[in-house]
């Protein structure tokens, strides 16, 4: 742009990667060091975890979510795992330098073509307190009087559509006791865990900020690759 720059003034500036996923530091180091890892993983629609063993090739961000791409030793093929679905700590599962990224591998393309980053829409059955939870009501496919519900008032049953339980749960949790998730189990569990974390911090759920569905928001994209 024709603007003079002062290179020495930039000394000390370091790039930062914005992620709240606890598994990110360990996976980034594993990619950097070429080290296999093991972790417990909760798949889509599951409430239990399974132990996975991975040779990590790279870490990729898409729509504000981070994914690790690599060779799954359990499946014997390349796989993509979302970091937010990793439960507990990521542990080393072999020596540094033992992971080799195949020539021509594009970890970003693998992650973007994988089914998990763009999950198919799923229905959710929820109870909405009568006269409340206007945001979910606007997004509901249908709303009808509930046959059974909590004894502390009148309730409607609604069907909502969502893609990502981890992103949709905080939105529903904002409505506190005006929304009860009935199904699917992974969304119900995600809402319960979010409310428990709020209580543990000593703060009540934030006031809903309107009907916008958080999972539709997009974030910056980035890639961390190993070679």
């Amino acid at each position: 742009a024709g603007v003079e720059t002062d290179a020495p003034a930039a000394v000390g500036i370091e790039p930062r990667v914005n992620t709240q996923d606890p598994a990110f530091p360990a996976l980034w180091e594993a990619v950097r060091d070429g080290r296999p890892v093991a972790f417990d993983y909760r798949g889509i629609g599951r409430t239990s975890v399974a132990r996975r063993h991975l040779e990590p090739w790279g870490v990729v961000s898409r729509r504000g979510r981070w994914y690790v791409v690599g060779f799954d030793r359990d499946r014997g093929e390349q796989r993509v795992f979302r970091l937010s679905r990793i439960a507990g700590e990521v542990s080393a599962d072999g020596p540094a330098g033992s992971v080799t990224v195949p020539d021509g591998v594009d970890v970003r393309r693998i992650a973007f073509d994988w089914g998990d980053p763009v999950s198919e829409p799923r229905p959710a059955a929820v109870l909405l307190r009568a006269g409340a939870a206007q945001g979910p009501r606007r997004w509901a496919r249908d709303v009808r009087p509930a046959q059974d519900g909590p004894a502390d008032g009148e309730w409607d049953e609604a069907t909502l559509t969502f893609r990502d339980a981890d992103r949709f749960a905080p939105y529903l949790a904002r409505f506190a006791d005006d929304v009860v998730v009935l199904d699917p189990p992974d969304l119900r569990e995600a809402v319960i865990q979010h409310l428990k974390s709020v209580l543990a911090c000593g703060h009540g759920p934030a006031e809903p900020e309107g009907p916008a569905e958080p999972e539709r928001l997009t974030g910056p994209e980035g890639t961390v690759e190993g070679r």
Side-chain angles (χ1 to χ4, degrees):
V3 178
E4 293 295 331
T5 60
D6 184 0
V11 175
I13 297 178
E14 297 180 359
R16 291 178 177 268
V17 178
N18 182 22
T19 174
Q20 297 180 349
D21 295 310
F24 181 88
L27 289 173
W28 180 85
E29 292 177 1
V31 170
R32 180 197 63 191
D33 299 338
R35 185 189 300 274
V37 294
F39 50 81
D40 292 331
Y41 190 76
R42 181 179 293 104
I44 294 178
R46 300 179 182 273
T47 56
S48 60
V49 298
R51 192 67 172 172
R52 310 306 289 267
H53 302 83
L54 184 73
E55 298 179 7
W57 296 343
V59 182
V60 181
S61 174
R62 184 183 186 189
R63 297 185 178 180
R65 292 290 182 179
W66 285 90
Y67 303 84
V68 60
V69 179
F71 180 77
D72 185 342
R73 290 178 171 177
D74 302 296
R75 299 291 190 272
E77 61 184 6
Q78 67 182 28
R79 303 283 288 190
V80 178
F81 297 94
R82 198 173 76 190
L83 269 60
S84 63
R85 294 189 180 278
I86 294 177
E89 296 183 357
V90 176
S91 60
D93 194 39
S98 60
V99 173
T100 301
V101 181
D103 293 336
V105 163
D106 185 340
V107 295
R108 179 183 292 276
R109 180 175 296 278
I110 294 173
F112 281 24
D113 290 344
W114 201 258
D116 183 28
V118 185
S119 303
E120 292 298 321
R122 293 192 287 156
V126 301
L127 293 177
L128 307 176
R129 190 182 299 275
Q134 298 304 319
R137 289 177 183 275
R138 295 183 184 180
W139 289 105
R141 183 189 305 171
D142 61 89
V143 180
R144 56 199 176 279
Q147 298 298 323
D148 296 303
D152 59 342
E154 297 183 1
W155 294 82
D156 297 321
E157 184 171 345
T159 302
L160 305 176
T161 300
F162 74 102
R163 292 178 182 269
D164 187 329
D166 293 335
R167 297 183 72 123
F168 198 40
Y171 171 70
L172 294 179
R174 295 181 190 176
F175 296 91
D177 58 352
D178 288 336
V179 173
V180 178
V181 179
L182 302 177
D183 193 67
D186 61 325
L187 178 60
R188 177 180 173 84
E189 180 65 19
V191 172
I192 291 173
Q193 293 303 320
H194 186 82
L195 290 172
K196 285 183 176 180
S197 67
V198 171
L199 290 174
C201 293
H203 302 290
E207 187 69 20
E209 298 177 357
E213 202 169 356
E215 62 184 41
R216 298 187 178 184
L217 302 179
T218 59
E221 298 180 352
T223 305
V224 180
E225 299 183 16
R227 280 291 180 267

